[in-house]
Amino acid sequence: MNEEIRNSTSSSKEDGELVKAFQAGDKTAFDALVLRHKDKLYNLCYWFLGDRQEANDSAQDVFIKVFRSLKKFRFESAFSTWLYRIAANTCKNRLKSSDFRQKKKMVWLDNPGKIEDGQYAAEIHDKTPSPMVELEKKERMMLIQRAIASLPTDQSTVVVLRDIEGLSYEEVSNITGLKFGTVKSRLSRARQQLRKKLRGTL
Amino acid sequence: MECAKIKDLLSEYIDGTLDAQTKALVDEHLLACPECNEELASLKTLIRELGSVESFKAPDDFLEKLHERLEPRFSFRKIMRILFVPGRIKIPLEFATATAMAVLIFSILYIQQPEKMIQGVPENSTHVKVTEKTSMDTVSPSGKGASFKSKPVPGKATEQQPAKKREIIELTLLLEKEGTGKAYTPGESIEAAPARQRDAERPRTARLAAPKAEMKTDTLRRKKQVTGIAEEERPVIEEETRASLSSLHDTFIKVKELIMLAEGRTLSVEYEPNTERPKSIRAEIPAKNYKTFYDKLNRLAILQTSPPTISEKDQGTIEIRIRFKSS
């Protein structure tokens, strides 16, 4: 986790160079930025939304927004912070949209995993034979994802940024625009909720 | 109560963001509270678990798909920028309009060109005036049919009014056989001009007979009586001046001089393939000078043609073809 943070801060300089190159008219610099951040951004969107297709669409939307407004980027924050802020807002709006809610309902009806006490039953659709460990891992992943998705958006955003993406409190604060104390309290509540939801799993 | 407060602090306790005093309080509580210890342990497990979840990677074609979504925007914005950014909008749009108009006009004129060629077919027949169809209906798909209908019929050609713009006038210059005539001097034929003028204004049937009648001076008088031309209108002076060139070559030179005098220009000269004698000369002269030109040419030699129907007020140029014909 710490290594990731170090990597991200050390690469912020390179991001800055690419942004400057793009602003100077080098269109390939944008491609370089996409290649550098696409996986992290996709992963972030996936954990925010819990759906690969939604994550892909949203990540693309984010980069399109970036492309449109990169000329106006004034280096008031790191490029990655700015990128994640756009991603957080895009995914938040996506979660609010009626399309997404409709889709979410359909998925849940098809796969009703929720049982009493707010816990989730293990339900594996993948019938292909795989090692037990792999199966358990997949199961755990799915349960974690569902538990995060069940949190209020303000809590899930903070926990994804802090615990999954491994960002610092400061970075989370910059991305979300929340005060330091608010980030701490929301993260604390989110973790407690998740602990309860995943009691039987972890 | 104490445990609830401690539990709220455990998250920060794990992250190490608590101040020293609060941290000491939590430490102290944890030593005596197994429930909070359990909570701490499970929270640590959760955070560890969340930190080690699988990272999902974007599809391989992510950038490609992104480009697909961005490309139309590239071109669209480019077009918008070119067309609608103030300052740039005016010149390209006006230029585009001007170009479109130019293309349109050019295409209309270009389409009319083949029509002219079709209409130009009767050029070979003598005394046929080719009227150029300038109305817009020649452009329409039915233009061809219309142009065929409007094609001049040789028999009616002389009755038609000539087009103002351009007409190809056939003139046949009837020459005497070499060595029989006298040299032509322009000044000598002045008195003869009015007579020739009247002669030229005779009806077509009479004109057709006239050239034959004017081959030689002795036969001329005889044939004039036949055609009903008054003797006194044909002065004797004709004998010296009219159609008395000794050589075809001289006539040819004179004709060319006349064309130049009429401010015209020679377009082409047709020679007889065997003898290489000039057969016909095609020229272009201003319409206003045609009458004078005709008169001068008439004095030069016997003309087989229609009278000059073009007024001096006519603008533009006319095309003429003068054929040399030995009697």
Side-chain angles (χ1 to χ4, degrees):
Chain A
M1 197 192 295
N2 289 332
E3 198 181 322
E4 268 186 37
I5 296 167
R6 272 198 302 276
N7 284 344
S8 69
T9 49
S10 67
S11 66
S12 65
K13 276 188 179 179
E14 290 174 48
D15 283 344
E17 294 299 315
L18 288 167
V19 172
K20 280 175 188 169
F22 179 83
Q23 288 177 339
D26 181 8
K27 290 276 190 285
T28 57
F30 176 74
D31 286 0
L33 283 167
V34 172
L35 291 171
R36 282 168 67 87
H37 293 278
K38 69 181 174 76
D39 289 334
K40 286 190 87 176
L41 196 78
Y42 175 86
N43 190 52
L44 182 73
C45 291
Y46 173 78
W47 284 104
F48 277 147
L49 302 166
D51 182 276
R52 282 174 179 255
Q53 188 56 50
E54 290 287 343
N56 194 30
D57 291 349
S58 297
Q60 295 227 339
D61 288 346
V62 171
F63 278 119
I64 287 166
K65 285 176 187 172
V66 167
F67 180 82
R68 285 186 198 163
S69 43
L70 196 56
K71 289 256 180 192
K72 295 171 192 167
F73 184 68
R74 293 283 170 264
F75 298 94
E76 284 158 0
S77 64
F79 171 76
S80 59
T81 306
W82 183 63
L83 182 72
Y84 279 27
R85 193 184 300 147
I86 295 171
N89 288 330
T90 304
C91 291
K92 199 192 276 183
N93 291 335
R94 187 73 193 136
L95 285 166
K96 280 183 197 168
S97 75
S98 55
D99 273 8
F100 185 83
R101 288 177 182 207
Q102 193 66 27
K103 197 176 174 183
K104 200 177 164 187
K105 263 186 205 169
M106 286 163 80
V107 171
W108 283 111
L109 279 169
D110 181 52
N111 186 17
K114 199 171 185 177
I115 54 165
E116 288 173 20
D117 302 337
Q119 291 188 8
Y120 296 92
E123 190 171 321
I124 308 299
H125 284 285
D126 191 358
K127 304 288 183 201
T128 53
S130 58
M132 202 60 190
V133 179
E134 197 63 28
L135 195 76
E136 279 178 3
K137 196 184 167 188
K138 275 191 175 180
E139 181 191 334
R140 215 162 47 240
M141 290 283 285
M142 191 183 67
L143 294 173
I144 291 169
Q145 196 282 311
R146 282 183 183 178
I148 291 170
S150 72
L151 293 174
T153 311
D154 58 350
Q155 287 183 25
S156 65
T157 306
V158 173
V159 83
V160 165
L161 289 170
R162 171 68 187 146
D163 291 338
I164 292 177
E165 294 297 326
L167 303 177
S168 68
Y169 277 65
E170 194 184 356
E171 282 176 297
V172 175
S173 173
N174 287 336
I175 290 164
T176 57
L178 298 169
K179 285 178 183 170
F180 218 71
T182 312
V183 172
K184 284 178 183 173
S185 61
R186 280 191 187 176
L187 184 65
S188 177
R189 280 203 298 277
R191 282 170 171 172
Q192 285 183 53
Q193 285 289 313
L194 286 176
R195 193 187 65 81
K196 278 183 197 167
K197 287 173 190 286
L198 296 166
R199 190 179 289 155
T201 312
L202 301 173
Chain B
M1 279 298 285
E2 188 69 24
C3 278
K5 281 186 178 177
I6 294 297
K7 281 175 185 173
D8 285 343
L9 294 169
L10 285 178
S11 173
E12 282 189 67
Y13 179 82
I14 295 165
D15 287 337
T17 53
L18 287 175
D19 59 88
Q21 197 183 346
T22 315
K23 189 182 174 290
L25 280 170
V26 175
D27 281 334
E28 196 184 327
H29 180 85
L30 286 170
L31 286 169
C33 182
E35 197 187 330
C36 284
N37 261 311
E38 195 192 324
E39 176 93 11
L40 178 70
S42 63
L43 271 178
K44 279 182 176 175
T45 310
L46 172 79
I47 292 164
R48 194 174 57 246
E49 198 70 33
L50 291 174
S52 62
V53 292
E54 188 184 342
S55 282
F56 295 96
K57 289 190 172 179
D60 293 338
D61 62 349
F62 186 85
L63 187 63
E64 200 182 317
K65 287 271 191 284
L66 185 66
H67 273 287
E68 279 175 24
R69 287 182 67 183
L70 282 170
E71 290 303 335
R73 219 173 288 276
F74 268 127
S75 53
F76 180 72
R77 290 180 78 182
K78 213 172 180 179
I79 291 163
M80 294 301 276
R81 208 162 41 236
I82 291 166
L83 292 178
F84 298 108
V85 168
R88 281 192 182 183
I89 173 178
K90 289 169 187 171
I91 299 163
L93 272 185
E94 282 174 358
F95 182 74
T97 313
T99 312
M101 287 300 289
V103 168
L104 195 69
I105 291 163
F106 178 77
S107 61
I108 289 167
L109 293 174
Y110 190 75
I111 290 163
Q112 276 190 331
Q113 239 15 64
E115 298 295 332
K116 277 187 203 167
M117 286 169 75
I118 293 164
Q119 288 175 342
V121 173
E123 202 178 31
N124 294 333
S125 58
T126 50
H127 307 300
V128 172
K129 288 166 188 166
V130 178
T131 55
E132 187 186 330
K133 203 167 162 61
T134 53
S135 61
M136 290 298 283
D137 64 351
T138 51
V139 184
S140 68
S142 61
K144 272 191 177 182
S147 72
F148 277 121
K149 278 176 198 168
S150 67
K151 196 157 49 174
V153 180
K156 292 179 181 175
T158 48
E159 293 161 24
Q160 287 183 346
Q161 286 297 313
K164 293 247 173 183
K165 274 191 176 176
R166 182 194 283 180
E167 56 182 61
I168 299 161
I169 298 168
E170 297 282 344
L171 303 164
T172 306
L173 213 55
L174 207 64
L175 301 164
E176 292 205 351
K177 278 181 181 158
E178 283 182 25
T180 55
K182 289 172 187 173
Y184 165 72
T185 322
E188 286 176 349
S189 63
I190 294 163
E191 301 100 311
R196 291 302 307 150
Q197 191 97 2
R198 279 194 299 277
D199 190 26
E201 282 162 8
R202 278 178 295 172
R204 186 164 178 260
T205 46
R207 263 188 285 118
L208 285 170
K212 287 178 187 173
E214 292 167 357
M215 279 189 285
K216 283 188 177 180
T217 46
D218 53 345
T219 53
L220 179 75
R221 286 192 188 115
R222 182 165 43 83
K223 293 215 173 179
K224 269 177 193 166
Q225 287 166 346
V226 174
T227 52
I229 304 296
E231 192 77 21
E232 59 271 19
E233 285 181 335
R234 295 272 172 193
V236 185
I237 213 161
E238 274 184 309
E239 285 176 42
E240 298 161 23
T241 59
R242 187 170 311 235
S244 58
L245 289 173
S246 59
S247 79
L248 175 68
H249 186 71
D250 284 352
T251 316
F252 176 67
I253 302 276
K254 292 283 178 194
V255 167
K256 284 189 87 171
E257 277 174 8
L258 285 178
I259 292 165
M260 282 173 73
L261 278 168
E263 295 168 16
R265 62 191 183 97
T266 309
L267 296 171
S268 66
V269 181
E270 193 188 355
Y271 293 94
E272 274 178 28
N274 300 329
T275 57
E276 289 190 1
R277 283 148 55 105
K279 196 177 167 185
S280 73
I281 182 165
R282 202 160 62 84
E284 196 177 61
I285 61 163
K288 59 182 166 104
N289 295 338
Y290 177 72
K291 198 169 182 291
T292 324
F293 174 76
Y294 180 87
D295 290 344
K296 283 179 179 174
L297 199 70
N298 208 12
R299 280 174 230 157
L300 186 71
I302 301 155
L303 271 174
Q304 269 189 326
T305 188
S306 56
T309 49
I310 296 152
S311 80
E312 287 173 20
K313 288 173 187 173
D314 279 337
Q315 296 296 313
T317 58
I318 53 161
E319 204 177 315
I320 52 165
R321 188 200 296 274
I322 305 151
R323 291 177 192 279
F324 300 100
K325 195 174 169 184
S326 297
S327 58

